[in-house]
Amino acid sequence: MLPPPMDHHRAPVMEDVARRAGVSHQTVSRVLNDSPSVSPKTREKVRQAILELGYRRNTAARALVTRRSQTIGLLANGMNEYGPSNILLAVQEAAREAGYFVSIAGIREISQEGIAESLQRFLDQGVDGIVVQVPHADIPAMLQELNLGVPVVIVGTAADGRLSGVMVDQEKGARDAVQHLVDLGHTRIAHVAGPDGFIDSAARVAGWRHVLAQAGLEEGPLIKGDWTAASGYLAGLELARHSDASAVFAANDQMAVGLLRAFTEQGIRVPFDMSLVGVDDLPEGAYLVPPLTTVRQGFQELGLRCLEIMVSQLETASPTQTAVVEPQLIIRASTAPPAQS
């Protein structure tokens, strides 16, 4: 016996799928929720009915029943930069795999008022949890004051009070980069740092200083950049004119690109006259002349660990956690022993 005809003036509902597939609406629900208790044959019948009818799950109705929106808010800064944009993509991909939708808000300026406004919008949407991808030293205190009432995971720092954190071990990455230069025989190593206030910037400065101190070397010039290639270019001009450094560690690859151009213009050959190391592993870095030695961050793993912690807190109310991702030094042709004088 054929199922009764559908009213094509309305959107199909779960009962329509059940009638078309010849199963109960509970079975359709189990298929939609990936329950292992449904046989492959029945699962395929339900999926075929869904395709034929063009059924779409009513997430608003589901949220009323479960009191969960299956949505995570993601607050991000620096979305035009390679590192932050790739972390954002990694979190989105991991969320999709876990069955969550991501609502994104980008902020250009870091301020208590701007962050509070963005987070309130997430709460107004009924998000289940919030990921904060703003690796600034003031963020944990700001979030603690707001007391949001939903699980929060901060990208770029360790757990802090009620807040979980996921991070790449930035200080270790910097130590590995600078140790590589020391092992090559460099004794005067400059650093082009990120801007003040950023957790990653401070950690990379700390790693640079740690290795130099352990090796008994004086600190080379420390120049502040702003993560852009333009600031790296200006730093390169300054180093070319006023420094006796034979190597430079840049806090990201974009600044390293600017340094490379400045050195080329000033007749400084990389790596023969100046070795150069960056951070992030820009895809283009392997195709520069010379290919760039860099510290790979592991953005995919960072996104996965972030969502693991979030889902754990949502589903089991687990305590705050910290996940640390190990960076990897990628050695290419922009580093070599110093020239013999």
Side-chain angles (χ1 to χ4, degrees):
M1 181 177 178
L2 293 174
M6 265 188 60
D7 178 0
H8 293 286
H9 295 290
R10 65 171 176 80
V13 296
M14 192 181 296
E15 285 74 11
D16 298 321
V17 175
R19 282 194 296 270
R20 176 64 65 93
V23 300
S24 68
H25 76 272
Q26 290 94 338
T27 298
V28 176
S29 178
R30 292 188 191 104
V31 172
L32 291 171
N33 290 297
D34 291 323
S35 170
S37 64
V38 182
S39 71
K41 183 178 179 180
T42 300
R43 188 182 303 276
E44 183 55 36
K45 284 169 57 179
V46 171
R47 287 177 174 168
Q48 186 61 37
I50 288 171
L51 287 173
E52 291 172 0
L53 297 174
Y55 170 76
R56 295 290 182 272
R57 179 183 288 197
N58 187 330
T59 54
R62 185 169 181 267
L64 287 173
V65 175
T66 63
R67 298 184 182 275
R68 296 270 294 276
S69 67
Q70 294 298 115
T71 301
I72 293 169
L74 173 55
L75 180 66
N77 170 253
M79 293 164 63
N80 60 322
E81 296 162 9
Y82 178 76
S85 65
N86 274 268
I87 294 170
L88 186 151
L89 288 172
V91 171
Q92 277 189 296
E93 289 171 1
R96 185 170 61 248
E97 289 296 317
Y100 287 85
F101 174 76
V102 176
S103 177
I104 299 171
I107 56 168
R108 198 175 292 274
E109 300 295 330
I110 299 171
S111 69
Q112 177 88 28
E113 181 181 356
I115 288 172
E117 181 182 346
S118 297
L119 295 177
Q120 186 57 53
R121 287 180 182 174
F122 285 147
L123 297 178
D124 292 343
Q125 293 173 19
V127 299
D128 297 329
I130 297 173
V131 174
V132 178
Q133 186 192 319
V134 186
H136 194 275
D138 296 337
I139 292 300
M142 288 184 186
L143 294 173
Q144 292 282 11
E145 286 181 20
L146 292 171
N147 193 18
L148 297 169
V150 297
V152 176
V153 180
I154 309 177
V155 178
T157 187
D160 187 342
R162 299 185 302 272
L163 312 172
S164 289
V166 294
M167 57 186 288
V168 175
D169 191 339
Q170 302 292 353
E171 188 168 340
K172 181 182 185 301
R175 291 199 306 267
D176 290 348
V178 180
Q179 188 64 54
H180 168 61
L181 295 171
V182 170
D183 290 344
L184 287 171
H186 293 280
T187 57
R188 189 73 171 151
I189 302 170
H191 180 43
V192 179
D196 289 336
F198 282 82
I199 296 168
D200 293 355
S201 179
R204 291 166 192 165
V205 170
W208 170 71
R209 284 180 168 151
H210 174 85
V211 172
L212 296 182
Q214 289 288 103
L217 300 175
E218 291 184 8
E219 291 181 14
L222 172 62
I223 301 173
K224 293 292 177 67
D226 63 6
W227 304 126
T228 67
S231 70
Y233 176 75
L234 294 175
L237 294 179
E238 183 177 340
L239 288 169
R241 293 168 186 155
H242 306 296
S243 172
D244 59 351
S246 63
V248 57
F249 167 50
N252 75 347
D253 283 356
Q254 286 172 277
M255 292 193 294
V257 167
L259 283 158
L260 184 59
R261 175 175 173 177
F263 292 151
T264 301
E265 289 182 355
Q266 298 301 310
I268 296 172
R269 301 168 301 163
V270 175
F272 307 106
D273 305 317
M274 181 77 74
S275 283
L276 178 61
V277 183
V279 177
D280 279 342
D281 195 20
L282 278 174
E284 297 83 0
Y287 299 94
L288 296 174
V289 181
L292 183 66
T293 296
T294 188
V295 178
R296 182 176 293 163
Q297 298 261 45
F299 299 123
Q300 290 297 121
E301 184 180 354
L302 193 70
L304 183 62
R305 300 295 295 277
C306 176
L307 258 293
E308 285 176 350
I309 290 176
M310 176 62 75
V311 171
S312 174
Q313 292 195 252
L314 288 171
E315 296 184 354
T316 66
S318 63
T320 57
Q321 304 171 52
T322 295
V324 180
V325 174
E326 291 289 308
Q328 180 186 3
L329 179 66
I330 306 298
I331 299 174
R332 299 193 180 108
S334 68
T335 51
Q340 298 297 317
S341 55

